């Protein structure tokens, strides 16, 4: 396989550096094979979408029929609570299976779990925000998009240097520890969401 040099690569988001740094640097894959490594993430995202459509949405509709308009928006956080451990596990798994002695299939599957968790979090939080703010949902989602885009724009400014300095294992562990620190957030919102919603005059606070 050809040698790969970070210096010849343009800035990329953190998840892209995860996949590329591990697959190419640690397993010596060519640029062509490198692109195929994103299949794990794609398949994981597809599996997550299937689950949300055929399992989570049906569970929500069943609860809606039983509780009617009294159904609190926090039920939308179920998939986010599933995703919280999946995201943390996938990042640690990905980080510590980047050894050349370990088959590339292991971090590939970890990337699939990461894709599923990412989709769960994205869809769960967007639907939750929509149901919490109702008439003001467009503004709430716009604010969410601005913050998310700011992080997306900022990370490539130091992501490459982080992976060069810490190497793929510890650089990915940094992301894993951040995910671990944020692990309780969906559970806190599920338990105390009605209290947190009451702090905003624009949010739904009756349920």
């Amino acid at each position: 396989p050809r040698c790969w040099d970070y210096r010849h690569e343009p800035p990329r988001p953190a998840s892209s550096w995860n996949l590329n740094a591990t697959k190419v640097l640690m397993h010596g894959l060519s640029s062509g094979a490198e692109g195929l490594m994103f299949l794990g993430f794609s398949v994981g995202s597809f599996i997550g979408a299937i689950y949300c459509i055929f399992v989570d949405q049906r569970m929500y509709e069943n609860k809606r029929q039983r509780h009617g308009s009294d159904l609190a928006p926090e039920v939308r956080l179920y998939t986010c609570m599933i995703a919280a451990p999946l995201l943390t596990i996938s990042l640690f798994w990905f980080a510590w299976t980047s050894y050349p002695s370990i088959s590339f299939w292991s971090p590939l599957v970890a990337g699939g779990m990461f894709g599923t968790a990412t989709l769960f979090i994205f869809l769960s939080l967007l639907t939750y925000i929509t149901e919490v703010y109702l008439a003001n949902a467009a503004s709430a989602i716009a604010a969410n998009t601005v913050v998310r885009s700011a992080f997306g724009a900022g990370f490539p400014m130091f992501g490459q240097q982080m992976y060069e300095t810490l190497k793929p294992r510890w650089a990915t562990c940094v992301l894993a520890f951040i995910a671990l620190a944020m692990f309780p957030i969906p559970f806190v919102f599920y338990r105390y969401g009605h209290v947190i919603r009451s702090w905003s005059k624009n949010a739904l606070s009756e349920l």
Side-chain angles (χ1 to χ4, degrees):
R2 69 174 178 86
C3 180
W4 182 59
D5 190 342
Y6 281 105
R7 295 170 297 178
H8 298 158
E9 292 287 332
R12 299 180 180 182
S15 59
S16 178
W17 273 107
N18 281 357
L19 294 169
N20 285 277
T22 300
K23 305 306 182 182
V24 183
L25 183 64
M26 306 311 298
H27 290 91
L29 300 180
S30 66
S31 58
E34 166 197 346
L36 294 176
M37 295 303 104
F38 285 94
L39 285 175
F41 182 87
S42 301
V43 171
S45 299
F46 179 76
I47 293 173
I50 294 298
Y51 176 88
C52 288
I53 294 172
F54 295 103
V55 179
D56 183 68
Q57 184 61 24
R58 289 184 179 181
M59 291 172 57
Y60 176 80
E61 291 297 336
N62 290 335
K63 289 184 175 65
R64 190 77 177 176
Q65 291 177 2
R66 291 198 302 269
H67 299 281
S69 58
D70 294 331
L71 190 62
E74 279 72 32
V75 297
R76 289 295 194 179
L77 296 174
Y78 282 155
T79 49
C80 194
M81 292 189 289
I82 296 172
L86 290 182
L87 183 68
T88 305
I89 292 170
S90 67
L91 287 170
F92 279 117
W93 178 3
F94 190 96
W96 294 103
T97 56
S98 61
Y99 292 97
S101 59
I102 300 176
S103 171
F104 66 83
W105 283 102
S106 184
L108 179 67
V109 175
M113 181 184 290
F114 179 81
T116 300
T118 302
L119 186 103
F120 277 2
I121 293 172
F122 187 79
L123 291 183
S124 177
L125 294 184
L126 281 186
T127 52
Y128 178 66
I129 290 172
T130 300
E131 296 196 5
V132 165
Y133 287 96
L134 297 177
N136 300 304
S139 298
I141 291 176
N144 173 272
T145 301
V146 169
V147 174
R148 189 175 68 249
S149 299
F151 278 96
F155 205 100
M157 297 180 182
F158 63 87
Q160 177 175 344
Q161 293 85 341
M162 184 176 78
Y163 270 81
E164 287 178 346
T165 304
L166 300 179
K167 308 307 178 188
R169 298 184 191 104
W170 282 109
T172 306
C173 274
V174 170
L175 303 178
F177 281 119
I178 293 174
L180 182 62
M182 301 179 73
F183 179 96
I185 291 177
F187 298 92
V188 171
F189 269 85
Y190 182 78
R191 178 66 180 84
Y192 300 104
H194 63 289
V195 177
I196 298 172
R197 283 188 278 115
S198 67
W199 298 344
S200 173
K201 64 180 181 180
N202 297 314
L204 177 68
S205 58
E206 288 81 7
L207 299 177

